[in-house]
Amino acid sequence: MADMRDKLRKIRWRVGLLATGMASLLAGMGVVAVTDAQAAAGCRVAYSVPSQWQGGFTGNVAITNLGDPITGGWRLTWAFPAGQTVTQAWNATVTASGGQVTATNVSYNGSIATGGTVSFGFNGSWTGSNTAPTSFALNGVTCTGDTTTTTTTTTTTTTTTTTTTNPPVGDAMARVAEMQPGWNLGNSLDATGADETSWGNPRITEALLDNVRAQGFKSIRIPVTWSAHQGGAPGYTIEAAYLARVKEVVGWALADGFYVMINIHHDSWQWINAMPTDRANVLARYNAAWTQIASTFRDSSPKLMLESVNEPQFANSSGDAQNAQLLDELNKSFHRIVRGSGGNNATRLLVLPTLHTSSEQARVDELVATFNALNDPNLIATFHFYGYWPFSVNVAGGTKFDATVQKDLTDSFDRMYNAFVARGIPVILGEYGLLGFDRHTGTIQQGEKLKFFEFLGYYARTKKITTMLWDNGQHFGRTSYQWSDPELAAQIKSSWTTRSGTASSDQVFSAKSSAVTDKTLTLNLNGTSFVGLRQGTTDLVRGTDYTVSGDQLTIKAATITRLSGSRAYGTNATLSARFSAGVPWRINLVTYDTPVLQNATGTTSAFAIPTQFRGDQLATMEAKYADGSNAGPHNWTSYKEFDVTFAPNYTANTTTLKPEFFAEVTDGSRVTLTFHYWSGATVTYYVTKSGSTVTGTTA
């Protein structure tokens, strides 16, 4: 019954949408009643600017014919009052002489029936002001919204301005803005095994997509790996059943109202990367894949987008120049095949990546050259962003969302904005997250993680970049339909529309072995104002329980003592700092003492240090030899990679040193480990590897 109710709900939704769409269409075109004779000539023009940026804008023009049918082509003329120029156009040929502009039909829209409407769009540039033109002429007749007749005619024209849910076809910037925010259906159809469940996720269902839509996502990227389902040369035929399954999932997503993106995904490193040494075969297989995919989806909704290849990369190339040439060839071949397949593919939004989907300036410049050559208004640039690498995986001491991490993000987004968005070319951040999430979401400390996502969402908005969260099942449950980290989900959702206040930390540590003292945090207001401090539903008293001076929040010792009760190790109370906008900032009051480690023996494949954490949590670990040089992997830094070389287990009261750490430790050498905890405490420990045996001591 649940499935049947769901299907009935979708049917009702679609019927309602159809009825609403027809009403809007009739209202937008106007109702023209003619008796005795047809009108000879007359027209109405709707001119709009759906998006504008410094020095540039996108214009839309809709021509409604109020006179006799036009069958021999049309010509619309107007003058820009502020000297604007047209730089690119679609669905019309646009020329200019000074401020005078002429737009003529293209091959497929030269006829306009009585009461019919044709639309075209363009990108333009402006300086000083962008005042809209006020007078248009169609085939030499000024468009007044009325008709000129030579016979007795009764004409009633009703004009209604309507706001449609979806931007008009051809306005790529506005359509991509409509896609914000987006979500990735990762590790399902992109799995490299024989089935979409081969990487541990359940089979995709309509219910999953319904629930993702209910979370507020407006677009969905459905990565698809084709390699295990594609035959050999010369046809490279894709299995019909697999193609049908992809089409089924895409259909569900479109029915839910999503904008949808599909691509060629892990094929990028499975066989496309061999292109430098096997160009002919790779290109033949790639072209065959896109020929079949384009044909399958040629008549799908314009809300479906196609992405040429995920994270393109090449092995054994001669260097950057060859890499750029090969990706340019793939992107142009993809563009040619899709555009040539007809149907909605003639104007469908197509997504082109940089090499490695990197935002490095050289990679961005390479993609700009491809866009310039293609000169197609329905193209989107895409890149991926997983943060400043030391922070993203917690290595080299990158434990905090600091100025370096923030600058890495702003530099990346600025490069994409300046190269594309500022020129009217939309950009999609096709994947974002933190690389440490591939292991688990605890690799990066919770508060620092929240600050990263708060800022990312805000800065993407300022740069008009549509974002698509990478989720391979670790965030939104594929069957539970619940977020594994509701606090993270709330922060991400809030960042779509506003900023949230944060603080220098989400933890306040008080040593159990010492008297409790006042504790001060620095507030990051992020454009908000501080409202108050609360425990549960109880507001704490400003001036008594805490004070605020500028951006300094001080929690009084008496308040910490009262709320901490018996002061057992760990979190004794949770407070929330509330701001004028966004989500509250959680603050844990933690009682701790410096952790205690014990001697241990084990092997390189299984070595755990008994650890009494005593309420504290591990931030990072350093490893050095006796001479001060760095030990273990990534020997350019003393700070080792969290989870990869070491990991705390708070339940088992152990700290594990992993085989990956010992694999790069010199046999027989004593290594000094320094464990850094979030309270600020440090503890020194020593390990010696002898063959496969490991000995650990506290002295």
Side-chain angles (χ1 to χ4, degrees):
M1 286 298 294
D3 289 344
M4 182 59 69
R5 284 196 300 270
D6 185 57
K7 287 180 169 59
L8 289 172
R9 177 183 61 78
K10 286 188 175 181
I11 291 170
R12 287 195 297 272
W13 180 81
R14 290 172 185 146
V15 170
L17 180 64
L18 178 62
T20 303
M22 287 299 295
S24 299
L25 179 63
L26 290 172
M29 290 174 61
V31 179
V32 181
V34 180
T35 60
D36 298 332
Q38 289 187 337
C43 50
R44 180 173 66 251
V45 172
Y47 177 93
S48 62
V49 177
S51 60
Q52 179 174 304
W53 54 96
Q54 186 59 46
F57 70 103
T58 295
N60 281 334
V61 180
I63 309 166
T64 300
N65 177 27
L66 304 178
D68 290 333
I70 296 173
T71 58
W74 52 264
R75 183 184 75 261
L76 187 75
T77 56
W78 74 90
F80 276 126
Q84 301 98 315
T85 59
V86 174
T87 58
Q88 187 181 42
W90 48 93
N91 297 331
T93 300
V94 180
T95 57
S97 176
Q100 300 295 316
V101 184
T102 301
T104 57
N105 63 280
V106 289
S107 61
Y108 51 81
N109 64 359
S111 298
I112 316 177
T114 301
T117 300
V118 296
S119 299
F120 64 92
F122 62 87
N123 288 333
S125 61
W126 60 276
T127 57
S129 65
N130 189 20
T131 307
T134 57
S135 179
F136 297 84
L138 179 65
N139 291 346
V141 176
T142 301
C143 295
T144 64
D146 208 336
T147 57
T148 300
T149 63
T150 56
T151 59
T152 303
T153 306
T154 302
T155 303
T156 303
T157 303
T158 303
T159 303
T160 305
T161 301
T162 60
T163 301
T164 59
T165 300
N166 299 319
V169 173
D171 188 353
M173 283 287 291
R175 291 164 72 193
V176 171
E178 282 284 315
M179 293 170 58
Q180 174 66 8
W183 182 82
N184 274 269
L185 182 58
N187 286 22
S188 287
L189 288 171
D190 56 315
T192 58
D195 183 77
E196 67 192 76
T197 65
S198 62
W199 281 2
N201 277 322
R203 193 169 167 83
I204 301 162
T205 62
E206 285 186 272
L208 169 63
L209 302 186
D210 292 346
N211 278 275
V212 171
R213 190 76 169 96
Q215 295 300 312
F217 291 102
K218 297 180 181 178
S219 59
I220 182 169
R221 182 172 179 256
I222 304 175
V224 185
T225 300
W226 304 89
S227 57
H229 308 278
Q230 189 177 14
Y236 298 106
T237 304
I238 297 172
E239 294 171 5
Y242 189 68
L243 201 51
R245 173 58 175 163
V246 174
K247 190 172 185 179
E248 179 181 46
V249 174
V250 168
W252 291 340
L254 290 171
D256 263 337
F258 282 111
Y259 281 90
V260 183
M261 185 194 306
I262 62 171
N263 67 359
I264 288 181
H265 203 77
H266 291 304
D267 308 75
S268 62
W269 55 263
Q270 288 186 309
W271 55 271
I272 293 175
N273 68 340
M275 196 173 177
T277 55
D278 193 18
R279 177 184 170 279
N281 288 324
V282 167
L283 192 59
R285 184 175 180 181
Y286 177 84
N287 289 348
W290 272 119
T291 297
Q292 295 169 79
I293 298 166
S295 176
T296 299
F297 292 100
R298 68 188 298 275
D299 296 319
S300 293
S301 163
K303 295 182 80 170
L304 173 66
M305 291 157 291
L306 305 178
E307 179 186 23
S308 62
V309 60
N310 172 70
E311 298 183 352
Q313 53 197 276
F314 302 104
N316 302 312
S317 76
S318 60
D320 287 346
Q322 186 182 21
N323 291 336
Q325 182 270 320
L326 293 175
L327 179 56
D328 180 71
E329 185 172 14
L330 289 177
N331 279 333
K332 288 179 177 176
S333 188
F334 158 77
H335 179 268
R336 174 182 54 79
I337 290 167
V338 175
R339 287 286 180 257
S341 63
N344 287 333
N345 287 346
T347 55
R348 187 178 304 285
L349 290 176
L350 302 182
V351 184
L352 304 184
T354 59
L355 186 72
H356 302 293
T357 52
S358 164
S359 58
E360 294 177 355
Q361 190 63 58
R363 308 289 80 80
V364 173
D365 292 343
E366 292 159 1
L367 187 60
V368 166
T370 300
F371 272 69
N372 288 342
L374 291 174
N375 192 30
D376 184 334
N378 289 319
L379 298 182
I380 302 167
T382 189
F383 74 114
H384 295 173
F385 187 76
Y386 285 93
Y388 182 60
W389 183 69
F391 175 75
S392 188
V393 302
N394 193 346
V395 71
T399 58
K400 293 188 176 183
F401 179 67
D402 58 16
T404 300
V405 179
Q406 181 171 311
K407 186 176 187 301
D408 179 76
L409 187 154
T410 57
D411 286 352
S412 178
F413 286 28
D414 286 351
R415 287 190 292 268
M416 295 301 292
Y417 175 86
N418 292 334
F420 297 105
V421 179
R423 297 173 54 208
I425 299 170
V427 171
I428 293 176
L429 177 54
E431 295 180 14
Y432 74 94
L434 290 168
L435 294 173
F437 285 175
D438 285 346
R439 297 187 290 277
H440 61 70
T441 58
T443 298
I444 294 87
Q445 196 273 337
Q446 183 73 359
E448 304 304 316
K449 177 202 313 177
L450 296 176
K451 285 184 275 189
F452 172 83
F453 283 97
E454 190 281 331
F455 187 81
L456 185 149
Y458 149 72
Y459 205 71
R461 278 191 291 113
T462 69
K463 296 301 175 181
K464 302 179 183 178
I465 294 173
T466 289
T467 61
M468 307 189 86
L469 176 68
W470 177 256
D471 190 349
N472 60 22
Q474 79 272 60
H475 293 311
F476 189 69
R478 298 290 169 90
T479 55
S480 69
Y481 312 133
Q482 300 295 318
W483 291 95
S484 59
D485 187 342
E487 191 174 46
L488 173 62
Q491 189 67 267
I492 291 173
K493 290 181 180 182
S494 177
S495 76
W496 297 338
T497 56
T498 190
R499 294 216 67 178
S500 295
T502 65
S504 53
S505 179
D506 61 348
Q507 302 176 101
V508 169
F509 287 93
S510 297
K512 189 170 187 177
S513 58
S514 306
V516 176
T517 59
D518 293 355
K519 302 294 180 181
T520 298
L521 296 172
T522 300
L523 298 174
N524 305 313
L525 295 173
N526 298 331
T528 71
S529 57
F530 178 78
V531 172
L533 195 62
R534 177 178 291 178
Q535 183 197 23
T537 59
T538 302
D539 289 321
L540 300 187
V541 179
R542 185 167 181 166
T544 302
D545 293 323
Y546 67 93
T547 61
V548 177
S549 177
D551 62 356
Q552 300 297 293
L553 168 66
T554 300
I555 306 172
K556 294 295 189 178
T559 305
I560 297 172
T561 301
R562 183 181 81 248
L563 297 178
S564 297
S566 62
R567 302 193 68 208
Y569 286 137
T571 299
N572 302 139
T574 299
L575 310 181
S576 59
R578 295 177 297 112
F579 301 88
S580 57
V583 295
W585 180 254
R586 173 189 44 77
I587 302 170
N588 287 344
L589 301 184
V590 182
T591 297
Y592 84 103
D593 276 324
T594 300
V596 176
L597 280 58
Q598 297 174 6
N599 296 343
T601 58
T603 67
T604 54
S605 60
F607 183 79
I609 305 168
T611 306
Q612 299 175 44
F613 290 99
R614 305 209 294 179
D616 215 337
Q617 292 187 328
L618 185 59
T620 187
M621 179 190 82
E622 287 186 90
K624 294 183 178 182
Y625 294 115
D627 63 2
S629 61
N630 301 325
H634 302 314
N635 62 10
W636 48 271
T637 176
S638 63
Y639 292 91
K640 303 296 100 175
E641 188 172 355
F642 198 102
D643 262 350
V644 171
T645 57
F646 70 96
N649 187 324
Y650 300 110
T651 302
N653 294 312
T654 59
T655 304
T656 300
L657 300 183
K658 298 196 172 184
E660 290 84 350
F661 173 72
F662 290 113
E664 298 189 42
V665 167
T666 303
D667 202 50
S669 296
R670 192 184 201 213
V671 177
T672 300
L673 305 177
T674 304
F675 292 98
H676 295 257
Y677 298 89
W678 281 104
S679 68
T682 60
V683 176
T684 302
Y685 195 80
Y686 307 93
V687 293
T688 303
K689 181 180 81 169
S690 180
S692 62
T693 301
V694 178
T695 302
T697 61
T698 58

